[in-house]
Amino acid sequence: MSEHVSVYQLLGVALLVLVVFAWTAGLAYMLRHGRHEAVAWRVAHGLPALPRPRAAAPGHESVELTPAEKDAFAGLVRQFSGRR
């Protein structure tokens, strides 16, 4: 069978096998050793599209409703719940 295959074809296949092997080894190396660096970079920089969270949230505010406002709110609740 090798009498029908030229030297250039054999060299091409050998070169292709070497390139595939080198690419696979390089990919495996990057996947193994790149994880720690990528995680460290993500922790340090965060996601660039999202704003950084605040260190502390502001205090919650509350306001006392007057009796008229409480009655109006109760009327709205009854109206939206379908009861009259």
Side-chain angles (χ1 to χ4, degrees), residues 35-67:
R35 285 184 190 161
H36 303 293
E37 295 161 1
V39 168
W41 185 87
R42 273 190 228 119
V43 167
H45 293 93
L47 294 174
L50 299 177
R52 292 195 175 267
R54 295 182 188 158
H60 294 283
E61 297 179 5
S62 64
V63 176
E64 276 298 317
L65 297 177
T66 64

Side-chain angles (χ1 to χ4, degrees), residues 20-36:
V20 167
F21 177 75
W23 181 82
T24 306
L27 182 64
Y29 176 80
M30 286 191 320
L31 288 176
R32 281 192 191 142
H33 296 290
R35 285 184 190 161
H36 303 293

